Amino acid sequence: MDFGLSEQDRAVQAEVRAFVDEHIRPHARKSDEDGYFDVTRVKQLGDAGLLGGPLDRAWGSRGWTHVQWALALMELGAADSSWRGFCTVQTCLCGLLIERFGTVKQQQDLLCKLVSGEWIFAYALTEPEAGTDVAAIQTTATSDGADVLISGTKQWITNGGVADRILVFANADPEQGRDGITCFVVPGDAPGLTREPVEGKELGHRGSNHAVLRFDEVRLPATSVVGGLGKGFEVAMGGLEDGRLGVASGAVGIQQACVDACLEFARSRRQFGRRIGDFQLIQQDLADMWVGLDSSRLLTLQAAWKRDRGESNASEVSVAKYAACEAAVTAADRAVLLHGARGYSSAWPVERYLRDAKGLQIYEGTSHIQRIIIARDLLGKEAR
Ligand SMILES: Cc1cc2nc3c(=O)[nH]c(=O)nc-3n(C[C@H](O)[C@H](O)[C@H](O)COP(=O)(O)OP(=O)(O)OC[C@H]3O[C@@H](n4cnc5c(N)ncnc54)[C@H](O)[C@@H]3O)c2cc1C
C-alpha cells in the first residue's frame, strides 16, 4: 500500500488551492449572505479544469484521476460548499453520467460545452412525493408519434433555474414501476418547462441555485433518451455513485476548514491568562476533529483510488459519504462552540460550515440511506 500523493497529485492540489484562494474564497461569505449565484464564475471554473475533472481529455478536460478530482473538490469544499456542489452536479452527476451512459452523439454534443462551462447542467430526480424513494417518481414520458412528452414536477434541483441542459428522470411505463424509469436530456428553454426558486430560504448552500421545475407536455425527440428506455433507475444510481464521492470530498474540505479555523483561534484567543488551546477540553475537541478529518480523507481517497483502478466502489463510496458527512457536521458544530460568540456570527466562517454541512447529510442519499446500503452489503441478499 502506498498512502503518499504523487507529484502530479500535489501539483493539482496546489493549483486548485491557488485558484480557490483567488476566485472562490474571497466571495464565499457575500454570496452566502446575498443568496447570490454568480454565473460568471462558471467559465472560470471551466478554465481551471474544475468542470472537466476526471472526464476524458477528448472533451477538453485535464484528464485528472479520480484521486486528483477528489483532492480538487476537497480544496473547493473547504472554501465554499455551494461551488463544490455546483461542480459535483455538473461534472459527476451529469458529465460522468453522460460519458458512461450517453450515445456517442450525446457525448459529442454535450460534453465539450459541459467541461468548458459554456453550458450549465442539472440533474432532476427528486419530486414532491419521491425523494429517497426514487422508484416512486410520478413524472411521465408519454409517446406521441416519434416524440416523447414529459409532464411532472421536480424540486430541489441544484442549478435548475440556470441550467442549459437538464437530465430529467421520468417514467415511460408506470405499470413497470422502476423498470419504466428513463433518463432524458432536456434543453433549459424547452417550451412547456417553467422554473421557479424552491420555497423558503435554505439553511445552507445559499450561493447555489435550487429550483422547482414544472414540465407541461415538454416535447422531446426520441434521441433525447440517455442510457436506453427503462434504464433510468440504473442510470440515476450510476450518477449518484460518482456524485456521492464528490459530496464526501466536499465534507472532507469542510472538516479541513474547521480544523484550520479552530487551530488559529485556539492559538490566538486567550482566557484566564492562557491561550484557550491549552485547556484540555479544547484539545479534546481538536483531537476529535483531526481524527474525523483524517479518517474521512482516507476513506474518500480509497473510494476514489478504487474508481481509478476500474474496480466497483459503490460500498466504499457509501462508507466515505456517510463517515465524512457525519464528521463534517460534528466538526462544524464543535467549531462553532470553540469560537464562542464569534462562532455564532457570519463575521467568522464556521457558522456557514455548520449550515452547509447539514445539506451534505441530506442530498445524494441521506445518511440514513448510506447506512442502509452499508448494512445490506454486509448482510448480503436473503436466501429465498
Ligand atoms: C441543498 C440540496 C440540493 C439538492 N440538489 C438536488 C439535485 O440537484 N437533484 C435532485 O434530484 N435532488 C436534489 N436534492 C434533493 C435531495 O436529493 C433529497 O432531498 C433527498 O434525496 C431526500 O429526499 P426528501 O427530501 O424527499 O426526504 P424523504 O425521502 O422524504 O426522507 C425524509 C426522512 O426519512 C428518511 N427515510 C426515507 N426513507 C427511509 C428508509 N427507507 N429508511 C430509513 N429512513 C428513511 C430520510 O433519510 C429522511 O431523514 C437536493 C437537496 C438539497 C437539500
Side-chain angles (χ1 to χ4, degrees):
M1 271 185 248
D2 179 1
F3 290 100
L5 297 180
S6 70
E7 223 174 274
Q8 294 95 313
D9 295 341
R10 290 194 187 284
V12 169
Q13 197 177 37
E15 186 187 339
V16 174
R17 189 172 298 166
F19 170 83
V20 164
D21 283 346
E22 185 178 350
H23 297 286
I24 302 292
R25 202 183 311 279
H27 309 285
R29 177 177 165 194
K30 186 157 170 43
S31 64
D32 173 70
E33 286 183 349
D34 296 350
Y36 180 54
F37 174 82
D38 181 0
V39 77
T40 62
R41 222 164 287 294
V42 175
K43 290 281 279 177
Q44 290 177 341
L45 288 164
D47 292 344
L50 279 158
L51 303 181
L55 285 161
D56 198 280
R57 285 179 190 274
W59 320 121
S61 81
R62 309 265 185 91
W64 289 344
T65 64
H66 285 271
V67 164
Q68 289 165 354
W69 177 229
L71 293 169
L73 290 180
M74 287 173 192
E75 294 300 326
L76 198 50
D80 190 337
S81 286
S82 293
W83 281 111
R84 197 276 313 145
F86 176 90
C87 291
T88 305
V89 170
Q90 176 97 351
T91 307
C92 303
L93 288 182
C94 297
L96 288 168
L97 184 156
I98 293 165
E99 190 174 66
R100 185 162 158 197
F101 297 102
T103 62
V104 172
K105 170 107 175 70
Q106 286 168 341
Q107 293 171 358
Q108 288 170 343
D109 289 350
L110 302 172
L111 289 177
C112 288
K113 291 190 166 89
L114 181 149
V115 169
S116 67
E118 189 180 333
W119 280 356
I120 294 173
F121 283 68
Y123 171 100
L125 184 62
T126 303
E127 300 184 358
E129 300 307 325
T132 303
D133 186 5
V134 171
I137 61 169
Q138 293 171 7
T139 297
T140 54
T142 318
S143 293
D144 186 40
D147 294 342
V148 174
L149 300 176
I150 307 283
S151 294
T153 302
K154 298 289 179 180
Q155 66 179 17
W156 277 102
I157 308 307
T158 303
N159 307 343
V162 291
D164 299 283
R165 290 293 180 276
I166 306 161
L167 298 181
V168 178
F169 295 85
N171 203 319
D173 189 355
E175 278 184 13
Q176 297 294 317
R178 78 151 76 158
D179 292 335
I181 296 175
T182 304
C183 177
F184 297 88
V185 55
V186 181
D189 59 359
L193 167 60
T194 50
R195 339 193 213 188
E196 62 208 57
V198 293
E199 204 182 5
K201 185 165 183 171
E202 297 94 321
L203 178 67
H205 292 73
R206 290 183 173 169
S208 297
N209 177 283
H210 300 127
V212 177
L213 310 179
R214 299 187 200 283
F215 300 83
D216 182 10
E217 298 202 329
V218 171
R219 182 174 291 278
L220 301 172
T223 50
S224 309
V225 172
V226 180
L229 269 178
K231 299 288 182 214
F233 189 83
E234 189 192 326
V235 172
M237 294 304 132
L240 284 174
E241 270 171 34
D242 284 318
R244 285 170 183 164
L245 191 48
V247 179
S249 307
V252 173
I254 290 180
Q255 292 175 72
Q256 183 69 62
C258 289
V259 168
D260 291 346
C262 287
L263 285 176
E264 191 181 333
F265 194 74
R267 285 189 189 112
S268 57
R269 176 69 177 162
R270 299 184 75 82
Q271 288 292 279
F272 299 97
R274 304 159 73 183
R275 52 181 200 171
I276 62 164
D278 290 330
F279 299 119
Q280 286 189 349
L281 281 170
I282 299 289
Q283 291 173 0
Q284 180 181 323
D285 276 347
L286 291 171
D288 287 351
M289 284 163 72
W290 179 255
V291 171
L293 166 62
D294 213 21
S295 49
S296 24
R297 182 165 39 208
L298 284 169
L299 288 168
T300 303
L301 290 176
Q302 175 192 230
W305 173 80
K306 283 197 87 171
R307 181 77 163 83
D308 280 327
R309 289 163 62 98
E311 292 175 25
S312 159
N313 70 346
S315 183
E316 286 81 1
V317 164
S318 283
V319 172
K321 186 192 184 264
Y322 171 56
C325 295
E326 293 300 308
V329 170
T330 304
D333 182 47
R334 296 215 187 162
V336 169
L337 177 60
L338 194 145
H339 279 71
R342 290 166 180 79
Y344 204 62
S345 158
S346 66
W348 275 261
V350 287
E351 60 84 34
R352 173 165 57 85
Y353 302 151
L354 179 56
R355 289 187 287 105
D356 285 342
K358 289 303 293 179
L360 275 60
Q361 284 179 314
I362 296 170
Y363 56 64
E364 303 198 27
T366 65
S367 284
H368 293 138
I369 294 312
Q370 303 314 320
R371 268 177 282 183
I372 289 172
I373 295 171
I374 295 162
R376 275 191 195 149
D377 273 358
L378 293 173
L379 287 164
K381 278 201 180 133
E382 193 174 350
R384 286 178 183 244

